[in-house]
Amino acid sequence: MLRLSQRGQAMPPSPFRKLTPYAEAAKKAGKRVYHLNIGQPDLETAPELLAAVRGVDFNALTYSYAAGTDSYRRQLVGYYERAGIPAAFEDILVTTAGSEAILFALLTCLNPGDELIVPEPFYGAYTAFAIAAGVTIVTVTAHVETGYALPPLADFERVVTPRTRAVLLCNPSNPTGYVYQPAELTALLDFCKRHDLYFLSDEAYREFCYDGAEATSALSLPGSEEHVIVLDTISKRYNVCGARIGALVTRNPAVWRAAFHFAQMRISPPGLGMLLGEAAAALPPTYFDTTRAEYHARRDFTVRRLQALPGVVCRVPGGAFYVMPQLPIDDAETFCQWLLEDFSHEGATLMLSPARGFYKTLGLGRQQVRLAYVLNLTDLDAALTCLEHALQVYPGRQPALVAANDSLIAAATA
């Protein structure tokens, strides 16, 4: 009898795409669906980036060096220098999007059966990468009441075992938008040093911080050379999600060499994507001013609307373009499917990501959703109006259980 592999059976559906069949059915039924479920902004890609690809002149699109083209890697050195990140040419490995950087880091730094500490809620795809690498995710839980700040270091200490090999953090956070403070990152690096762990730092959203906040790269911390591996991507930074270009950046030569060997096996990163990436890395820092201001306005509008809804608990995120509110509903999975199957307001509805896929601890996230404020203010207004009316008529409306995390964690760890 043919059987799927254990990892094939364990691989979960995407927490942000699992309801897509219901969204497509809603569209076929004539509804307009506002997509707040996934981080695909509606902003245009900079013309300079598209021109770099359109204007290329070659007879064949050939393989590149496995670490990426020299020209792109040298452009990245300049970009990281402007961002205050000490990364030399030989520290940079170009990857097929941030996804491959994450996977290469897990394959390089952890053995099958090893443990990876991740604060939850976390980017839902980490689960899939961990399964592919045979790695076990061990969580420490952040809370909506604190705006999803880094859990106390004592929580990390409690879950360390002889199998622990690394900590993984996304800063600014997807899905919560929390921006980790330098003191938090320094404390976490010290923790990694004490226990001889790698510090994997996913920095896909570093340009998008608000209210004067700045994202600190873990690689810029004193003493980070041996422990820190930065996982990066241009997808959200320049609104080129389809380019599939990322980077693994480390000042640890042994880690770089091992990751490079994995890169050799997939031959090379996308050639046209690197041409686009070169043009992106050449843009001045002022390029981000307009984009940041637009997301800032969208964040303020989204949070203001959510906080005005009865029973909704929403903290102000400091970065990225996500917010993770707690809703007065019985179950976010049921609610998000109901939005697409049974609800409409003036011919429209919205698609959200149930938060359960961003937690490992069973029962957490049951009343939470991740909402991506990636649409223009007019569409955001219409989408949040749909949500307002939906919460008024949803059959499973309940009081928001703001302190639910504490009781669920106690039950899970008893």
Side-chain angles (χ1 to χ4, degrees):
M1 179 180 177
L2 292 174
R3 297 181 185 275
L4 295 174
S5 68
Q6 290 181 353
R7 64 171 59 90
Q9 295 178 61
M11 192 64 66
S14 165
F16 9 93
R17 295 179 182 268
K18 63 188 297 184
L19 296 177
T20 296
Y22 300 101
E24 293 305 308
K27 293 173 188 176
K28 289 180 181 178
K31 298 180 188 178
R32 178 171 183 176
V33 178
Y34 292 103
H35 283 272
L36 304 183
N37 62 298
I38 194 165
Q40 175 57 70
D42 64 357
L43 302 179
E44 292 186 355
T45 301
E48 299 94 323
L49 277 58
L50 301 178
V53 178
R54 292 192 182 109
V56 68
D57 182 18
F58 54 75
N59 295 321
L61 186 60
T62 60
Y63 292 133
S64 74
Y65 180 52
T69 61
D70 283 6
S71 56
Y72 180 42
R73 291 167 71 200
R74 295 195 189 284
Q75 284 278 28
L76 283 176
V77 171
Y79 161 76
Y80 286 123
E81 182 179 357
R82 293 190 297 274
I85 301 171
F89 174 83
E90 58 271 15
D91 301 330
I92 300 170
L93 175 69
V94 181
T95 58
T96 305
S99 299
E100 189 174 71
I102 298 166
L103 183 59
F104 281 0
L106 296 184
L107 293 171
T108 297
C109 299
L110 293 91
N111 288 314
D114 282 347
E115 294 173 353
L116 172 71
I117 301 176
V118 188
E120 62 179 354
F122 54 79
Y123 175 45
Y126 291 163
T127 299
F129 299 134
I131 290 171
V135 170
T136 299
I137 288 179
V138 176
T139 57
V140 291
T141 304
H143 302 274
V144 64
E145 298 91 329
T146 64
Y148 300 105
L150 189 73
L153 260 288
D155 291 358
F156 287 81
E157 295 284 358
R158 275 194 288 271
V159 298
V160 172
T161 76
R163 301 297 297 175
T164 307
R165 293 291 180 271
V167 172
L168 172 57
L169 194 74
C170 183
N171 183 36
S173 170
N174 175 5
T176 69
Y178 183 77
V179 180
Y180 294 95
Q181 301 302 303
E184 293 175 305
L185 297 173
T186 299
L188 197 55
L189 176 59
D190 290 344
F191 167 81
C192 290
K193 289 179 176 180
R194 283 198 306 277
H195 294 282
D196 203 21
L197 308 177
Y198 291 106
F199 184 166
L200 312 182
S201 183
D202 183 345
E203 301 180 5
Y205 301 90
R206 75 166 60 86
E207 270 75 24
F208 305 133
C209 298
Y210 317 115
D211 304 320
E214 293 184 6
T216 299
S217 173
L219 200 58
S220 70
L221 300 174
S224 63
E225 294 85 356
E226 183 179 1
H227 294 268
V228 171
I229 298 105
V230 165
L231 315 169
D232 211 354
T233 175
I234 69 172
S235 291
K236 310 305 170 64
R237 187 164 299 139
Y238 304 102
N239 194 31
V240 288
C241 295
R244 312 315 295 146
I245 291 293
L248 183 151
V249 187
T250 179
R251 298 167 70 189
N252 183 323
V255 170
W256 192 95
R257 283 193 301 271
F260 173 65
H261 292 157
F262 285 108
Q264 285 182 313
M265 294 303 102
R266 62 89 165 98
I267 311 299
S268 70
L272 290 177
M274 284 188 287
L275 290 173
L276 187 148
E278 283 191 48
L283 292 172
T286 54
Y287 162 79
F288 298 105
D289 293 347
T290 300
T291 307
R292 188 184 301 110
E294 176 64 23
Y295 286 138
H296 196 164
R298 294 179 183 190
R299 183 208 67 170
D300 289 351
F301 179 81
T302 300
V303 170
R304 185 168 62 250
R305 288 290 306 272
L306 288 171
Q307 290 182 340
L309 298 178
V312 172
V313 178
C314 179
R315 305 304 183 201
V316 181
F321 41 63
Y322 307 100
V323 63
M324 206 163 187
Q326 191 145 304
L327 306 180
I329 54 176
D330 56 352
D331 183 85
E333 301 267 352
T334 303
F335 175 69
C336 292
Q337 185 172 330
W338 173 86
L339 284 172
L340 298 169
E341 283 193 305
D342 301 315
F343 172 80
S344 68
H345 173 69
E346 296 181 352
T349 189
L350 72 160
M351 186 175 179
L352 302 169
S353 293
R356 189 175 301 166
F358 301 92
Y359 287 90
K360 184 181 180 185
T361 303
L362 293 178
L364 292 186
R366 188 164 174 253
Q367 290 188 299
Q368 297 170 348
V369 296
R370 189 193 72 170
L371 185 156
Y373 46 91
V374 292
L375 304 183
N376 61 78
L377 291 175
T378 299
D379 286 348
L380 267 179
D381 184 33
L384 292 169
T385 297
C386 284
L387 179 60
E388 178 181 4
H389 285 270
L391 290 173
Q392 292 171 359
V393 299
Y394 176 57
R397 182 180 173 90
Q398 291 185 355
L401 303 178
V402 180
N405 279 358
D406 295 330
S407 60
L408 285 167
I409 295 167
T413 59

